[in-house]
């Protein structure tokens, strides 16, 4: 067996065992890096061929996924929809059976950050969230920062979300102070 053949066999074994599993965002980033390097080389023919290769592979894998979804049926996908990699592939190929609002809710359910969904504008891809109050410790929160875990979950479950705006939590109502009542002077009877 040649080194090239044994390398391919090792790659297949790694994929089967999950050793080289990447998420959709990481895979997309890596593809973009390779295409950018080709574009920087100045070889337009090679760059065009690489972009065509990506399109052909996307179409091929998309058709295979469509056939799997068709043969399994939406009702049997069940737990697969909770898997971030599977969900991202189904969404990428427009095969995910849930609408974007259900997938956004699913993504937010996977993160521990307490966020309230305000709304999603499908025309712009902007998702508006509100940070939930931290429970009254008075320490505040990151405010308008979008936690990485939220961005990652949305990239997997709802790639239609192109931007996230986080409003700060509403100020909590002041605590009612309960104390003892001042002693009233005794009344004469």
């Amino acid at each position: 067996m040649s080194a090239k053949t044994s390398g391919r066999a090792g790659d297949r074994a790694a994929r089967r065992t999950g050793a080289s599993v990447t998420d959709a965002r990481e895979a997309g980033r890596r593809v973009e890096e390779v295409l950018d390097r080709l574009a920087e080389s100045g070889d337009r023919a090679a760059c065009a061929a690489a972009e065509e290769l990506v399109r052909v592979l996307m179409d091929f894998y998309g058709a295979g996924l469509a056939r799997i979804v068709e043969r399994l049926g939406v009702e049997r996908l069940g737990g697969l929809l909770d898997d971030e990699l599977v969900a991202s592939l189904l969404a990428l190929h427009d095969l995910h059976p849930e609408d974007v609002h259900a997938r956004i809710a699913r993504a937010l359910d996977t993160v521990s950050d307490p966020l309230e969904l305000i709304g999603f504008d499908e025309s712009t891809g902007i998702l508006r969230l509100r940070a939930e109050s931290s429970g009254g410790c008075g320490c505040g929160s990151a405010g308008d920062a979008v936690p990485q875990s939220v961005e990652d979950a949305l990239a997997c479950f709802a790639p239609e979300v192109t931007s996230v705006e986080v409003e700060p939590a509403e100020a909590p109502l002041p605590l009612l102070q309960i104390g003892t009542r001042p002693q009233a002077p005794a009344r004469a009877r």
Side-chain angles (χ1 to χ4, degrees), residues 24-88:
R25 178 178 275 185
E26 174 66 14
R29 185 189 61 75
R30 289 174 52 196
V31 168
E32 287 297 321
E33 283 178 358
V34 170
L35 292 176
D36 287 346
R37 283 197 319 259
L38 278 170
E40 289 170 3
S41 74
D43 188 343
R44 290 185 180 174
C47 190
E51 289 176 0
E52 178 66 16
L53 176 62
V54 169
R55 279 191 293 276
V56 167
L57 287 173
M58 288 284 296
D59 291 344
F60 176 68
Y61 289 122
L65 283 171
R67 187 168 295 169
I68 291 169
V69 169
E70 176 185 315
R71 294 211 174 151
L72 275 178
V74 172
E75 62 281 348
R76 290 182 52 203
L77 288 176
L80 289 173
L81 299 180
D82 291 327
D83 183 279
E84 290 182 358
L85 181 60
V86 173
S88 66

Side-chain angles (χ1 to χ4, degrees), residues 157-178:
F157 290 103
E160 299 89 341
V161 175
T162 58
S163 178
V164 180
E165 297 175 358
V166 179
E167 296 179 6
E170 293 179 1
L173 295 174
L175 295 175
L176 175 63
Q177 298 297 319
I178 301 174

Side-chain angles (χ1 to χ4, degrees), residues 1-11:
M1 188 180 324
S2 72
K4 190 173 187 178
T5 305
S6 66
R8 286 184 188 153
D11 289 343

